[in-house]
Structure formats: C-alpha cells, structure tokens
C-alpha cells in the first residue's frame, strides 16, 4: 500500500469532517441569533465573534447573509420539524396522545426560550414572508409539512378506530397546529407560559370530540 497516499486520503477526510463541523457550528450560532434578534437583526460581525470564526470562513460556506438564513430554514428548522412532527409523532399508536406529547417535546427542546422568544419558525414567517419570496415559500413548505404529518397521524387513528370516521383530518390538523402556534405567540407576548397551559387544557377537550368513543357526536 502507498503509505503517502493513504495518509493524504486520511488527512483529506479529517479536513472534510472539520469543515462540516465548522459549517454546522456556524448554522447553530446563526439559528440562536435569528431566534433572539430576527433575521434582519442578525449581524454578521456579531455572529462571527460568537462563532469565533473569520469573515473568510463565513464566505467559504455561504455566499451571503440571505444564503445563510435560507440554510437555517432548510437544514435546522426543517430538521426540527421532522424530528418533532415526523419521527416523534410516528411513535404513537394514539394520534391524539402523540400530538400532545409532540407539542410537549417541542416545548422541552426550546425550553424557556419558547415563552421569551416564541416559535422560531413562526417568528421568521411573520418577519420575512412579505419581504422575501424565498423565505416565504420555504417556511410555508415547513408549515404544510407539519400539518400533513398531523393529518397523517389522525388518518392512521381513524383506520385503527380511534378517531371518528367523519372527522376531516386535514382541517383538524390545520386547526390543531394553528391553535398551538397561536398559544405560543400569546405566551411570548405575555412572557409567561399561562397561555400554553390554558391552550393545552382546552385542546384536550377538543381532542375528546375527535375520538370515536369520545361522545363528541357529529359536528
């Protein structure tokens, strides 16, 4: 075996791994900055200082601040959405139990920031949808995907006899997700979790009307 060739390949792989880690670190710091200050409030000099990277390193990975923001949506926010409303929700045979658990899971991931800073996806949609079509389209795709995950879970519950057969799962999923996002917005405005706990309590009442044995009757 050519030892010099093997060493070169090993060094190349190590360099690629470091490069991937640096890019991921930059995205993580950018996500935190955008969640706290919004995309328009994101300052590249502050970002680089916190990430301990140079301007040259930034432009090695991203052509512009907008390119960075879109990458945060495509990679981090999309990843969170799939983790919470795809992978986590799919684990539950009872979709209503799963939806509530997935919302709690999301609250746990964000921690106190949920009530002080709000939902990062919804914040960005409110800030950027009217300003940049690329942001709007990507964020809309995320929301549509989340609603689809919830609707799919409800459809599965209907097939298993857990959800009333007359429930429109797409409409119910849209209402459920909109209610949760609205509650997060109220909690952010009030800077406390009361709206979240109140919404969860009332959502449980709504869930019972969807159950095949919940006595909700036809609406």
């Amino acid at each position: 075996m050519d030892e010099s060739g093997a060493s070169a390949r090993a060094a190349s792989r190590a360099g690629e791994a470091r490069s991937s880690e640096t890019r991921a670190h930059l995205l993580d710091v950018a996500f935190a900055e955008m969640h706290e200050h919004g995309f328009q409030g994101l300052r590249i000099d502050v970002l680089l200082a916190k990430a301990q990277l140079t301007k040259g390193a930034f432009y090695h990975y991203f052509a512009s601040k907008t390119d960075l923001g879109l990458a945060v949506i495509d990679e981090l926010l999309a990843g969170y959405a799939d983790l919470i409303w795809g992978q986590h929700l799919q684990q539950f045979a009872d979709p209503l139990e799963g939806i509530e658990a997935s919302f709690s899971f999301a609250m746990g991931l964000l921690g106190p920031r949920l009530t002080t800073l709000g939902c990062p996806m919804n914040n960005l949609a409110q800030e950027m949808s009217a300003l940049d079509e690329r942001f709007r389209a990507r964020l809309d795709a995320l929301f549509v995907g989340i609603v689809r995950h919830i609707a799919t879970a409800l459809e599965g519950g209907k097939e298993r006899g857990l959800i009333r057969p007359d429930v429109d799962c797409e409409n119910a999923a849209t209402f459920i997700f909109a209610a949760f996002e609205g509650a997060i917005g109220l909690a952010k405005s009030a800077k406390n979790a009361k709206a979240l706990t109140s919404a969860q309590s009332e959502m449980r009442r709504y869930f019972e009307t969807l159950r095949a044995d919940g006595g909700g009757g036809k609406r």
Side-chain angles (χ1 to χ4, degrees):
M1 176 182 285
D2 183 343
E3 293 185 5
S4 62
S7 296
R9 288 192 293 274
S12 176
R13 287 194 294 271
E16 289 173 0
R18 285 194 298 272
S19 179
S20 178
E21 290 173 1
T22 300
R23 185 178 184 278
H25 174 58
L26 189 54
L27 284 172
D28 285 338
V29 178
F31 168 77
E33 286 295 293
M34 288 167 62
H35 193 192
E36 184 170 359
H37 303 292
F39 176 73
Q40 294 177 91
L42 172 66
R43 290 178 48 189
I44 298 301
D45 58 336
V46 173
L47 169 68
L48 293 175
K50 290 187 176 182
Q52 296 184 315
L53 294 170
T54 65
K55 187 173 289 188
F58 174 84
Y59 286 108
H60 173 72
Y61 298 108
F62 302 103
S64 65
K65 176 181 169 180
T66 296
D67 189 34
L68 170 67
L70 295 175
V72 167
I73 297 172
D74 293 340
E75 299 177 40
L76 292 191
L77 293 182
Y80 281 127
D82 179 66
L83 174 64
I84 297 164
W85 298 107
Q87 300 174 46
H88 188 267
L89 179 53
Q90 287 175 2
Q91 299 176 52
F92 293 83
D94 182 335
L96 300 176
E97 178 186 338
I99 292 165
E100 183 172 359
S102 294
F103 186 58
S104 296
F105 180 48
M107 291 194 295
L109 285 176
L110 287 171
R113 292 176 297 171
L114 193 67
T115 53
T116 58
L117 300 178
C119 170
M121 284 187 291
N122 200 32
N123 287 353
L124 200 53
Q126 295 293 326
E127 178 191 5
M128 295 300 297
S129 289
L131 302 178
D132 191 306
E133 175 60 19
R134 293 164 295 180
F135 278 80
R136 188 208 63 77
R138 281 167 163 84
L139 291 162
D140 180 59
L142 283 187
F143 290 138
V144 168
I146 291 170
V147 170
R148 187 178 299 121
H149 280 310
I150 297 172
T152 298
L154 292 172
E155 288 288 357
K158 187 184 289 190
E159 292 171 3
R160 290 187 289 275
L162 300 173
I163 302 297
R164 292 192 351 257
D166 63 308
V167 170
D168 185 315
C169 294
E170 187 77 19
N171 285 351
T174 300
F175 171 73
I176 290 167
F177 186 60
F180 282 146
E181 284 293 338
I184 293 170
L186 290 174
K188 174 187 173 182
S189 178
K191 299 295 185 186
N192 68 64
K194 185 176 184 297
L196 290 175
T197 55
S198 295
Q200 282 184 293
S201 177
E202 286 305 309
M203 190 58 68
R204 291 187 194 105
R205 295 175 186 267
Y206 170 68
F207 283 172
E208 290 307 310
T209 73
L210 302 181
R211 291 193 180 278
D213 59 353
K218 289 194 176 183
R219 287 170 292 174

